[in-house]
């Protein structure tokens, strides 16, 4: 069983990102287990806690949890042309201490979205910069930007556009191929 952690960059329980993540999680084949990992209660990162050997328990729990997963799917909105603070905080917490980063050498994929026309392009690319630094193997193509996301979701939270579903299936299939290849190394 390949385990995929799903990090959602929005805290709203009815966020577009959370709905997209749930739709995408259903597209993974047998043999892949996905789980949304909560990040909203993580205290802000402060290196003093690590330096003093006294990290908050929520950090320790989060780090241990992420280490149990083989790969990470990030689904995020764009805030001010970048990633939301809550997602960046989780990334920073997982990256420390540097020699024990939970992100190191894990396959990853990014889906960004926006109710506007730019589809979270800035968030997607800012996140990619961090993931490259962490030595994560990131799905390169297809890139997943979902513009006008509100129009893609029905009242039931399901994606209502067949072309988008097909695109996301291709995206997931590519991520699955990356994970499979990565496990073979």
């Amino acid at each position: 069983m390949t385990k995929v952690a799903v990090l959602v960059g929005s805290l709203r329980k009815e966020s577009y990102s959370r709905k997209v993540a749930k739709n995408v999680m259903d597209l993974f084949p047998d043999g892949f287990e996905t789980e949304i990992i909560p990040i909203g209660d993580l205290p802000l990162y402060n290196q003093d806690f690590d330096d003093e050997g006294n990290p908050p328990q929520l950090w320790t729990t989060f780090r241990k949890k992420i280490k149990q997963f083989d790969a990470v799917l990030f689904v995020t909105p764009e805030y001010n042309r970048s990633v939301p603070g809550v997602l960046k905080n989780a990334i920073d917490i997982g990256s420390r201490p540097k020699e024990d980063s939970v992100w190191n050498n894990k396959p990853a994929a990014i889906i960004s979205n926006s109710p506007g026309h730019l589809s979270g392009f800035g968030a997607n690319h800012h996140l990619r910069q961090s993931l490259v630094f962490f030595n994560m193997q990131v799905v390169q193509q297809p890139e997943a930007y979902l513009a006008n996301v509100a129009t893609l979701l029905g009242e039931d939270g399901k994606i209502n556009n067949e072309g988008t579903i097909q695109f996301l299936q291709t995206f997931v299939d590519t991520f699955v191929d990356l994970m499979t290849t990565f496990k073979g190394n």
Side-chain angles (χ1 to χ4, degrees), residues 18-147:
R18 184 168 306 282
K19 290 176 183 179
V20 167
K22 288 180 179 180
N23 279 270
V24 170
M25 291 166 68
D26 291 340
L27 300 175
F28 281 84
D30 290 341
F32 287 81
E33 177 183 311
T34 58
E35 180 182 342
I36 294 177
I37 308 302
I39 60 175
D41 292 333
L42 294 170
L44 292 175
Y45 184 73
N46 179 337
Q47 188 171 332
D48 288 344
F49 294 125
D50 279 329
D51 289 349
E52 295 163 3
N54 190 28
Q57 183 59 45
L58 288 171
W59 290 6
T60 303
T61 300
F62 176 76
R63 290 167 173 165
K64 286 179 182 176
K65 181 81 170 175
I66 294 296
K67 283 184 178 185
Q68 297 172 8
F69 288 85
D70 303 299
V72 184
L73 171 63
F74 298 89
V75 183
T76 186
E78 178 173 294
Y79 288 2
N80 304 312
R81 300 284 190 256
S82 190
V83 287
V86 67
L87 181 56
K88 181 64 167 81
N89 186 54
I91 290 168
D92 290 346
I93 289 167
S95 72
R96 297 290 189 257
K98 186 176 180 180
E99 62 278 359
D100 199 27
S101 170
V102 302
W103 312 120
N104 185 44
N105 216 26
K106 286 188 191 289
I110 304 167
I111 300 172
S112 59
N113 65 84
S114 171
H117 298 299
L118 293 180
S119 64
F121 178 85
N124 196 303
H125 282 264
H126 278 183
L127 183 52
R128 283 176 186 275
Q129 289 174 333
S130 294
L131 302 188
V132 167
F133 178 76
F134 299 137
N135 194 34
M136 296 183 89
Q137 305 302 311
V138 183
V139 169
Q140 300 300 309
Q141 292 292 327
E143 294 176 288
Y145 312 105
L146 300 179

Side-chain angles (χ1 to χ4, degrees), residues 16 19 23 149-161:
Y16 299 132
K19 290 176 183 179
N23 279 270
V149 68
T151 65
L152 299 176
L153 296 164
E155 288 186 27
D156 61 357
K158 297 289 184 188
I159 295 175
N160 59 21
N161 179 292

Side-chain angles (χ1 to χ4, degrees), residues 27-29 32 139 171-181:
L27 300 175
F28 281 84
F32 287 81
V139 169
F171 177 83
V172 168
D173 292 346
T174 303
F175 189 26
V176 165
D177 289 346
L178 175 67
M179 288 182 277
T180 303
T181 300

